[in-house]
Amino acid sequence: MTEQQLPVIVIGAGPVGLAAAAHLIERGLEPLVLEAGETAGSAVREWSHVRLFSTWGEVTDPAAEKLLAPTGWVKPDAATYPTGGGWAEQYLQPLADVLGERVRLGATVTGVSRVGRDRIVDADRVKQPFVVHVSTAGGGEERIFARAVIDASGTWATPSPAGGSGLPALGEKGAADRITYRVPDLKDPAVRARYAGKRTAVIGSGASAFTALAYLADLAKSEDGTGTHGVWILRRGISGSTFGGGEADQLPARGALGLAAKEAVDNGYADAVSGFRTDTVERGADGRLILVGEEGQRLDPVDEVIVLTGFRPDLTFLDELRLGLDERLQAPVELAPLIDPNQHSCGTVYPHGHRELSHPDQGIYLVGMKSYGRAPTFLAMTGYEQVRSVAAAIAGDIGAADRVELTLPETGVCGGAGLFDEPDASTNESDGGGCCATPATLQVGIGAPAASRGC
């Protein structure tokens, strides 16, 4: 079998991985999707209770819709907001069903390399196909050869710890029975009982933290949740951008999350502790947890801790490849400056595709959440546009691959991330400066542009 006859391996059967398969098929290429979980969208299903802040019109891929159309699939109302569970059941599962045997479940990728070439060897490297090692649910092992590899495995399995240094806080692992790294499903009776009437610390400053605070506030208002109280822990100071873009956010549901978190604090359902970087987690005599900051500050005991400090990519199984990754974000070096939260915090990202996602080893692409490394604010439509470009590049249609369009809704938050542990040194939103000017669709390349899509 020649390299051109080999499949394109797609790692992960989540939204972006399945979209990649659809775009490859549209290009006449044969995908093979390897999913470690037992179902398509297995990671999405783990937050099935959380409602997306993007509408149905913004979370389905056009190439995937074309595959689904002959089956009689009907797209949900484009103006409504799916939950993670609805996204998985009403879109991802039907898409995986259409792809059929092109999706293999219970297949965990353990390594990717060039055939006969570890990362050291230069000789004829570019001429060698990829070899992908896979472990199966039954304990077996196999290798699969590929002409290209698209890693859409995401970052869900590798959440960041509570420790302010990026390492687990001392005592964090030992307190695992009272710590979660996910937004809890408070509709589940057992989970609800765990948090009802309890004092819970929420560590983090993004949409997930907003969601958790809002959920805890709702619990506190309910008959069975009397006494529920949140302690919101932020590593930086509080500023005008702490609660997101609010009404200025062009994704209204995203803006509403920040407003809900602000309401929880304003109404006394949560206290905000700013400038606190967790160093140690101690367990008191009563079993409750005491968080200690890097400067020795000690917070009052809490019953539970919800750590929502972001995610990071698992790069271990790509160790034999030559990847070009930014030293800070662990994102592709050409993409990193566009998404670096140290530089800007706006929702608009310059159009990017295969060129920004390429690596020294040609033919390997990190896409979707994983392409952002440790950077936040990834949106589904960003990933769909990425794989459209990547599929075109693998097919050899560089003109189409370079015609990348991307217009992301504004967050309403401008400027850089601010001084370390200080409020944002943001550009004045009224002066039209910074990165939050009126969003424009930007084109790269020559020829008719692809259809402009939101996020």
Side-chain angles (χ1 to χ4, degrees):
M1 180 180 290
T2 66
E3 183 174 339
Q4 298 302 311
Q5 294 173 310
L6 294 174
V8 176
I9 296 295
V10 179
I11 306 174
V16 177
L18 294 176
H23 281 280
L24 290 167
I25 291 172
E26 192 171 61
R27 287 282 174 178
L29 302 173
E30 188 61 26
L32 177 59
V33 183
L34 303 175
E35 167 58 46
E38 294 304 314
T39 61
S42 59
V44 174
R45 294 174 192 272
E46 291 192 28
W47 47 271
S48 60
H49 58 291
V50 177
R51 190 166 299 281
L52 281 70
F53 53 66
S54 296
T55 65
W56 271 111
E58 298 157 339
V59 296
T60 59
D61 175 78
E65 290 184 28
K66 290 179 183 178
L67 278 183
L68 287 165
T71 70
W73 177 80
V74 177
K75 183 175 181 176
D77 184 346
T80 60
Y81 295 88
T83 61
W87 200 17
E89 288 298 328
Q90 295 174 256
Y91 171 63
L92 300 179
Q93 190 59 56
L95 180 54
D97 292 342
V98 169
L99 291 168
E101 294 183 355
R102 294 183 173 106
V103 178
R104 288 183 51 186
L105 303 174
T108 302
V109 174
T110 58
V112 182
S113 186
R114 293 279 191 179
V115 173
R117 305 290 188 272
D118 61 23
R119 67 184 299 165
I120 299 175
V121 180
D122 289 333
D124 295 326
R125 186 177 188 86
V126 73
K127 297 180 181 179
Q128 304 304 314
F130 291 93
V131 58
V132 179
H133 283 213
V134 180
S135 65
T136 63
E141 294 181 305
E142 61 179 296
R143 63 171 62 94
I144 304 171
F145 300 103
R147 63 182 294 179
V149 176
I150 299 175
D151 183 357
S153 59
T155 57
W156 179 254
T158 47
S160 296
S165 63
L167 301 173
L170 296 181
E172 182 173 345
K173 294 180 180 179
D177 60 318
R178 289 178 180 258
I179 299 177
T180 183
Y181 300 85
R182 306 286 188 263
V183 176
D185 181 3
L186 298 184
K187 293 182 180 179
D188 181 315
V191 176
R192 191 176 182 86
R194 175 176 174 174
Y195 295 94
K198 304 293 178 59
R199 180 178 168 87
T200 299
V202 177
I203 305 177
S205 59
S208 293
F210 294 164
T211 301
L213 289 166
Y215 282 5
L216 290 172
D218 286 343
L219 178 58
K221 298 172 191 176
S222 66
E223 291 184 4
D224 63 336
T226 302
T228 302
H229 194 78
V231 181
W232 187 19
I233 298 174
L234 300 103
R235 293 173 178 171
R236 295 172 52 213
I238 294 178
S239 72
S241 65
T242 297
F243 298 97
E247 294 179 358
D249 196 320
Q250 291 182 10
L251 288 177
R254 180 172 61 186
L257 284 176
L259 295 177
K262 185 176 187 301
E263 181 181 345
V265 174
D266 290 346
N267 291 340
Y269 296 113
D271 300 321
V273 179
S274 62
F276 186 95
R277 300 192 302 278
T278 307
D279 178 78
T280 305
V281 179
E282 297 180 356
R283 192 184 293 270
D286 59 358
R288 303 173 79 199
L289 303 182
I290 301 167
L291 302 183
V292 183
E294 290 182 353
E295 297 181 0
Q297 319 97 302
R298 299 173 65 86
L299 301 185
D300 291 338
V302 295
D303 300 283
E304 301 287 341
V305 178
I306 303 173
V307 181
L308 301 169
T309 53
F311 296 85
R312 52 187 59 180
D314 177 9
L315 301 167
T316 56
F317 61 87
L318 302 175
D319 195 49
E320 291 305 317
L321 295 177
R322 297 176 179 179
L323 301 179
L325 298 174
D326 179 77
E327 62 186 11
R328 292 172 297 175
L329 297 185
Q330 296 179 295
V333 291
E334 296 298 324
L335 175 60
L338 312 182
I339 60 175
D340 189 347
N342 290 295
Q343 303 300 321
H344 56 82
S345 57
C346 287
T348 297
V349 176
Y350 189 88
H352 64 280
H354 74 110
R355 294 193 184 278
E356 291 82 2
L357 299 171
S358 295
H359 295 275
D361 257 329
Q362 298 175 26
I364 172 72
Y365 300 93
L366 277 58
V367 300
M369 283 288 294
K370 194 163 187 175
S371 72
Y372 269 40
R374 298 191 183 199
T377 66
F378 181 82
L379 297 176
M381 291 305 290
T382 301
Y384 296 158
E385 182 66 5
Q386 286 178 342
V387 296
R388 184 204 64 77
S389 174
V390 166
I394 295 173
D397 189 349
I398 302 303
D402 282 346
R403 288 197 299 271
V404 178
E405 292 189 353
L406 187 61
T407 303
L408 296 188
E410 299 285 6
T411 62
V413 180
C414 294
L419 302 175
F420 186 59
D421 288 339
E422 295 294 336
D424 285 354
S426 301
T427 301
N428 188 329
E429 295 178 28
S430 64
D431 64 8
C435 58
C436 287
T438 301
T441 300
L442 302 179
Q443 270 181 238
V444 180
I446 301 173
S452 175
R453 295 190 283 271
C455 306

